[in-house]
Amino acid sequence: MLKLNDVHTYYGNIHALKGISIEVTEGEVISLIGANGAGKSTTLMTTSGVVPAKRGTVEFNGEDITHKAPDDIVKMGICQVPEGRRIFPYLTVAENLDMGAFLRDDKEGIKQDLDYVYGLFPILANRRNQTGGTLSGGEQQMLAISRALMSRPKVLLLDEPSLGLAPIIIRQIFDIIRKINEEHKTTIFIVEQNANLALKAAHRGYVMENGAITMTDTGENLLANEDVKKAYLGM
Ligand code: ATP
């Protein structure tokens, strides 16, 4: 469904992605793990067209999207939840969710999806009239994921969903990520420093070091891999 072929991305002279290839099949949860600065966020930004690849290609359902504008990529069904959430702090929860559906005009479908996200995260339903900026970090992450779901994406790109959150909230969010994949059939691509939870939630994983992919396997096999254990799981 989504294919990065030998992608090179630069920030000026900084060669951030050094020829990476990643494939995401429809219906999969894929996790990309790696240390700080490895190039995980850049991989998502290159996929969503925010920082386009200089060489190599990004394909979505067989179409070359490497040089498409980010808003066109969103319209095709690839929606990114950026690191640090970036919800609209002065809009209410309900208004933030409306913004997620701004490209749609199927009222019935929007209503169904709204009921669905409020069912996933009942706390958001309770706080629907509260402004986004007054929510806790965990609630903001839930809102950011829900807002993305309101665009009914085919692929959801999640950048560090665990960032700055308490362990119990992180577990809850990862459980829901898996639930969204199972119930809504959404394909999900996660980049994450919390390797343990990210690999547990994923069908397959990729390990990234210094802008290159160094390993790929099922989530289960990567969790059992001695090198991964030492470098990313603190074992
Ligand atoms: P983190 O988990 O800390 O977000 P990451 O694996 O997501 O790390 P990236 O943010 O993709 O890594 O960064 C990859 C490399 O590109 C790093 O060396 C980083 O310093 C550099 N980089 C990222 N953003 C920019 C930018 N806007 N301008 C210049 N260099 C950048």
Side-chain angles (χ1 to χ4, degrees):
M1 184 178 216
L2 187 65
K3 210 168 169 185
L4 281 72
N5 304 305
D6 195 24
V7 163
H8 292 257
T9 301
Y10 292 79
Y11 296 101
N13 292 329
I14 297 171
H15 194 177
L17 300 183
K18 301 170 184 158
I20 64 162
S21 296
I22 292 177
E23 221 170 305
V24 185
T25 304
E26 188 166 3
E28 269 190 317
V29 178
I30 292 289
S31 288
L32 172 64
I33 63 162
N36 248 327
K40 304 183 299 299
S41 296
T42 306
T43 303
L44 288 196
M45 308 259 241
T46 293
T47 305
S48 61
V50 177
V51 186
K54 201 160 187 182
R55 293 207 306 279
T57 56
V58 181
E59 282 174 39
F60 180 53
N61 287 333
E63 187 176 343
D64 187 342
I65 61 164
T66 320
H67 301 292
K68 275 195 183 292
D71 52 336
D72 289 332
I73 292 177
V74 173
K75 281 183 202 148
M76 293 175 84
I78 300 179
C79 189
Q80 184 173 356
V81 178
E83 188 175 318
R85 282 100 53 184
R86 306 217 202 113
I87 49 134
F88 301 108
Y90 301 112
L91 298 185
T92 65
V93 166
E95 288 165 343
N96 266 277
L97 293 174
D98 277 352
M99 295 297 282
F102 81 102
L103 287 172
R104 300 173 59 181
D105 52 17
D106 57 322
K107 278 204 171 119
E108 212 27 60
I110 294 173
K111 166 87 177 56
Q112 270 174 21
D113 288 348
L114 196 58
D115 290 343
Y116 180 70
V117 298
Y118 281 148
L120 281 179
F121 299 112
I123 187 98
L124 294 182
N126 295 336
R127 301 188 184 290
R128 68 182 81 199
N129 296 318
Q130 193 171 320
T131 54
T134 62
L135 298 176
S136 71
E139 290 159 1
Q140 289 189 16
Q141 184 60 265
M142 294 171 195
L143 179 57
I145 293 172
S146 299
R147 188 181 59 187
L149 286 177
M150 290 305 296
S151 71
R152 211 179 259 196
K154 297 189 179 88
V155 182
L156 192 59
L157 308 176
L158 298 176
D159 196 347
E160 298 270 354
S162 80
L163 194 78
L165 303 180
I168 185 166
I169 306 287
I170 298 174
R171 268 196 297 279
Q172 201 183 337
I173 288 193
F174 273 95
D175 284 347
I176 296 228
I177 290 171
R178 203 49 208 247
K179 195 167 167 197
I180 293 166
N181 168 256
E182 280 160 15
E183 292 180 353
H184 235 228
K185 309 282 170 249
T186 312
T187 305
I188 302 181
F189 185 10
I190 310 171
V191 312
E192 192 38 84
Q193 276 193 58
N194 187 324
N196 183 33
L197 280 175
L199 292 176
K200 274 187 185 148
H203 298 108
R204 290 188 304 116
Y206 288 84
V207 180
M208 182 170 232
E209 279 170 39
N210 293 320
I213 300 293
T214 52
M215 238 187 282
T216 178
D217 208 329
T218 61
E220 210 176 326
N221 286 348
L222 287 174
L223 280 168
N225 180 289
E226 289 305 322
D227 293 335
V228 172
K229 278 189 188 171
K230 248 185 255 147
Y232 302 103
L233 301 173
M235 292 179 179

